[in-house]
Amino acid sequence: MIVDYAVSMWDLNRLRIWRAVVATGSVVDAARSLNYTSATVSQHITTLQKAVGVPLYRRSGRGIEVTDLGKRLAEESAEVFTGLGRLDTLVESFRTVNRPRMRIAAFTSFNAGLLPGVIESVARDHPDLRFDIQLNEPAKVRRSHCTIEIRSEVPQDDEVHLPGMTRTVLFDDDYRAVVSDRHRFARLESVPFKDLEDQRWVDYDLWAGPTSRVVDLACAAAGFEPRTFAASEDEFAALALVASNLAITVLPRLSTAQLRTGLTAVGLTDPVPVRRIVMHVREREVHLPHVRSFVTAAEAVVADYLSR
């Protein structure tokens, strides 16, 4: 019974979330730093507190007040994550004895649009290198063992700095309206964002991540809320509805690079939504030749993309 109790209490992901809450001082700021929703963070810390059986925090107005135990729990658990880091390093050293490996976490449009060009360049100089590519959007779990992590951010929010990783801004990715070839917007080079107010929208991001938050901020700046016609976690299904001329959607430029037949991307003005694309590189691996090669190649591929 003791073993079962301990296992149920110490969920490492909840403990990591709790440390973020204590470090930032609020549920909202912790959610932003972890790329979670506030509701998800609240649910995890509530579950952790129930498992511990002793108050870790108290409600205080619209925020929380961390108890002494809550603070001590965040402080003492630092050794746990330091130990996990050592275990990651140990296992990784044995995995890469015979063949070096690079783990990359990024979002779908980067993986499809830009990553192949980066990997092509790196592989020329490091033909024995193995690439493990993971998705990090929606970012429900930190990919703590990755060498490279590519993320999108909301420029209006605070910068996100991942522990143990260096941060480099790659580029700002502007958004476009995506419509059916039969839509009246399809014949235009650009449309004012306000003109989207009366359109039916497809919501393709049910996790309310940075990509859709940029759109929400643009709608607020234009003075309206989108008329959501449909919502889907499947981007292919969402775009199929758009191609059928049932609704429109708004996507970053990178996501519109390879639109299916029947769709057109139209520029936006007043305002132009923009997300920021950032590369995080693990500090303890930044000196490795293949990692330096990846960073150089990523910057070159991005420069070429922006020049088109």
Side-chain angles (χ1 to χ4, degrees):
M1 294 296 293
I2 294 177
V3 172
D4 291 343
Y5 173 71
V7 169
S8 63
M9 183 194 304
W10 303 122
D11 181 291
L12 291 177
N13 192 41
R14 291 192 190 113
L15 196 55
R16 183 180 286 109
I17 291 171
W18 175 248
R19 285 169 51 80
V21 170
V22 174
T24 60
S26 79
V27 169
V28 173
D29 290 341
R32 182 180 300 144
S33 68
L34 296 170
N35 202 16
Y36 282 23
T37 65
S38 297
T40 297
V41 171
S42 295
Q43 181 180 2
H44 278 294
I45 67 173
T46 298
T47 302
L48 177 62
Q49 181 166 255
K50 288 180 180 178
V52 172
V54 182
L56 301 178
Y57 64 91
R58 300 182 184 88
R59 296 292 178 184
S60 178
R62 300 183 66 179
I64 63 170
E65 179 182 349
V66 180
T67 65
D68 289 340
L69 173 61
K71 294 175 183 176
R72 287 289 304 277
L73 181 62
E75 293 169 358
E76 297 294 337
S77 61
E79 295 182 12
V80 173
F81 292 97
T82 299
L84 287 175
R86 288 197 297 267
L87 291 178
D88 282 344
T89 301
L90 173 64
V91 172
E92 187 66 16
S93 67
F94 277 83
R95 282 176 171 168
T96 59
V97 166
N98 297 319
R99 186 181 183 189
R101 174 182 299 189
M102 175 180 285
R103 288 185 171 83
I104 305 159
F107 49 91
T108 301
S109 57
F110 188 92
N111 286 342
L114 299 182
L115 188 58
V118 178
I119 288 180
E120 180 183 8
S121 177
V122 177
R124 281 197 298 267
D125 296 329
H126 304 276
D128 292 331
L129 183 64
R130 168 176 165 170
F131 300 90
D132 290 343
I133 303 166
Q134 301 173 329
L135 287 175
N136 63 358
E137 191 176 78
K140 292 183 178 180
V141 180
R142 268 297 318 281
R143 304 293 190 178
S144 59
H145 58 284
C146 282
T147 301
I148 305 288
E149 185 151 359
I150 311 292
R151 287 192 170 201
S152 57
E153 293 182 357
V154 181
Q156 295 91 327
D157 291 346
D158 293 337
E159 294 180 356
V160 176
H161 293 267
L162 303 182
M165 304 189 85
T166 62
R167 176 183 186 276
T168 301
V169 175
L170 290 178
F171 65 101
D172 286 348
D173 195 20
D174 60 295
Y175 284 57
R176 300 175 178 187
V178 178
V179 302
S180 165
D181 287 348
R182 293 172 283 162
H183 196 283
R184 60 186 177 87
F185 289 167
R187 297 183 296 274
L188 303 177
E189 183 176 340
S190 64
V191 294
F193 201 91
K194 180 71 173 177
D195 288 0
L196 306 184
E197 180 175 9
D198 297 329
Q199 300 294 312
R200 296 191 299 187
W201 289 53
V202 175
D203 182 1
Y204 59 90
D205 182 5
L206 302 184
W207 299 279
T211 299
S212 61
R213 176 165 154 72
V214 169
V215 177
D216 292 340
L217 291 173
C219 288
F224 70 89
E225 292 186 5
R227 296 172 54 207
T228 301
F229 169 71
S232 173
E233 63 182 13
D234 182 350
E235 185 174 316
F236 290 101
L239 291 177
L241 293 176
V242 176
S244 298
N245 206 24
L246 293 172
I248 69 161
T249 193
V250 175
L251 292 174
R253 177 189 171 196
L254 189 55
S255 298
T256 66
Q258 298 176 347
L259 288 177
R260 55 176 287 179
T261 302
L263 293 172
T264 298
V266 182
L268 292 168
T269 61
D270 304 322
V272 179
V274 173
R275 67 175 176 175
R276 183 151 294 153
I277 309 304
V278 179
M279 176 170 60
H280 302 269
V281 183
R282 189 155 299 282
E283 291 175 348
R284 66 174 183 244
E285 299 178 45
V286 73
H287 66 285
L288 299 174
H290 60 274
V291 177
R292 293 201 306 268
S293 180
F294 185 98
V295 171
T296 301
E299 292 171 346
V301 167
V302 166
D304 177 68
Y305 166 72
L306 294 177
S307 68
R308 298 172 193 168

